[in-house]
């Protein structure tokens, strides 16, 4: 890959392929999930399969303006809309946004979709939202400071940022050994990006999937604080799909507030 590599374009095409391949995070919520959400029985995830504590959200979602940031796929956005929120979904993948529109059309939901890079929220005015909801997607973003700065800008005072992200330590392990044999072979120094791998090895380990980046906790948590947020809650969970789950948390989640 060259220095002119366009991560946004590459990952846009990669996530469109993930939709075609049936990646679990591209499968839209079923009608029964939406019906339960309309009745007040709803949950969404930030990390793995762990439901976000209801106390992280406003007590009443009706009329709450939510930006689902890099959160296409027809899952979280439609559920929150069915629960009463006014939902906008921004995602880099047109086909992921198609999933949100499919659910919205099927179930009569008002979900606004916007195609874009999570680092650039210029489509939205200042103080547009009450909640920014960002499940594990910063791993596909080359730099995070613009994400936190723009999230802060588009939130109203008192607005909530919820984000889930990968523990960067999971990236020290050789991917082939981890995925094929369940072995934890320490190989990569941090920071790591799958872009650093030779093309043939990246294809063996990641297939045609998106480029990933191992952002440090200083970039993730420190970056939110530097942008002006106040951290209120923290959670962690094992990775739902690999052998690191036996030894360390693979995911972290934070809740922060714009003062």
């Amino acid at each position: 890959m060259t220095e002119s590599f366009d991560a946004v374009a590459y990952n846009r095409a990669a996530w469109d392929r993930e939709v075609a391949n049936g990646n679990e995070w591209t499968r839209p919520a079923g009608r029964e999930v939406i019906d339960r959400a309309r009745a007040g029985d709803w949950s969404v995830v930030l990390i793995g399969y762990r439901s976000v504590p209801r106390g992280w959200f406003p007590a009443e979602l009706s009329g709450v303006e939510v930006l689902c940031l890099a959160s296409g796929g027809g899952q979280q956005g439609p559920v929150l809309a069915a629960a009463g929120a006014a939902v906008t979904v921004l995602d880099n993948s047109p086909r992921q946004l198609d999933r949100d529109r499919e659910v919205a059309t099927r179930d009569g939901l008002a979900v606004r979709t916007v195609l874009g890079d999570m680092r650039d929220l210029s489509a939205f005015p200042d103080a547009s939202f009450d909640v920014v909801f960002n499940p594990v997607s910063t791993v596909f973003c080359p730099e995070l400071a613009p994400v936190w700065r723009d999230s802060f800008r588009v939130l109203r005072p008192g607005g909530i940022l919820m984000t889930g992200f990968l523990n960067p330590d999971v990236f020290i392990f050789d991917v082939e050994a981890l995925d094929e044999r369940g072995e934890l072979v320490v190989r990569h120094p941090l920071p790591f990006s799958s872009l650093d791998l030779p093309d043939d090895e990246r294809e063996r380990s990641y297939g045609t999937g998106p480029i990933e980046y191992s952002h440090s906790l200083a970039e993730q948590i420190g970056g939110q604080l530097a942008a002006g947020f106040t951290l209120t809650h923290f959670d962690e969970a094992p990775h739902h799909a690999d052998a690191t789950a036996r030894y360390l948390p693979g995911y972290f989640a934070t809740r922060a507030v714009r003062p």
Side-chain angles (χ1 to χ4, degrees):
M1 297 266 182
T2 67
E3 290 185 3
S4 62
F5 174 74
D6 186 338
V8 172
Y10 185 95
N11 280 356
R12 176 171 293 170
W15 269 107
D16 281 354
R17 289 191 294 270
E18 292 298 300
V19 174
N21 294 335
N23 180 300
E24 66 177 316
W25 304 114
T26 73
R27 300 171 194 159
R31 189 184 301 275
E32 68 285 355
V33 172
I34 300 303
D35 288 343
R36 288 200 303 270
R38 279 194 164 114
D41 178 16
W42 60 271
S43 66
V44 289
V45 298
L46 274 174
I47 50 176
Y49 300 146
R50 177 171 295 184
S51 296
V52 180
R54 287 288 285 269
W56 285 29
F57 284 92
E60 174 56 55
L61 275 188
S62 180
V64 171
E65 296 274 356
V66 177
L67 173 62
C68 289
L69 180 60
S71 180
Q75 298 180 3
Q76 296 93 357
V79 167
L80 294 172
V87 172
T88 298
V89 181
L90 180 138
D91 201 273
N92 186 36
S93 162
R95 296 200 65 182
Q96 279 285 75
L97 292 175
D98 285 344
R99 295 304 203 198
D100 291 279
R101 288 189 286 267
E102 287 170 17
V103 180
T105 299
R106 183 194 71 199
D107 295 327
L109 300 169
V111 176
R112 177 189 180 194
T113 59
V114 178
L115 180 68
D117 178 357
M118 66 190 301
R119 294 172 294 177
D120 179 8
L121 304 184
S122 58
F124 310 118
D126 295 357
S128 298
F129 298 100
D130 303 298
V131 174
V132 172
F133 186 83
N134 172 232
V136 179
S137 59
T138 54
V139 65
F140 308 116
C141 185
E143 56 180 341
L144 300 189
V147 177
W148 309 137
R149 286 197 301 265
D150 241 9
S151 293
F152 188 91
R153 180 186 62 79
V154 301
L155 278 168
R156 299 179 177 116
I160 300 164
L161 168 68
M162 286 178 263
T163 184
F165 51 95
L166 282 170
N167 180 347
D169 290 350
V170 302
F171 286 96
I172 69 174
F173 302 111
D174 181 271
V175 175
E176 291 183 81
L178 190 66
D179 290 349
E180 295 176 10
R181 302 186 298 278
E183 296 177 358
L184 276 65
V185 177
V186 174
R187 179 184 173 195
H188 303 295
L190 299 179
F192 169 80
S193 169
S194 56
L195 191 60
D196 300 333
L197 297 173
D199 290 349
D200 59 342
E201 183 178 354
R202 184 173 56 255
E203 184 172 349
R204 290 196 308 273
S205 298
Y206 292 87
T208 61
I211 298 297
E212 299 185 16
Y213 302 86
S214 74
H215 297 294
S216 68
L217 297 186
E219 291 176 276
Q220 295 281 10
I221 299 174
Q224 293 178 50
L225 298 174
F229 285 103
T230 299
L231 192 70
T232 63
H233 295 75
F234 181 86
D235 197 8
E236 63 184 22
H239 195 290
H240 69 288
D242 70 39
T244 61
R246 302 197 302 269
Y247 302 99
L248 75 164
Y251 296 111
F252 298 128
T254 57
R255 179 188 187 273
V257 172
R258 173 180 175 170

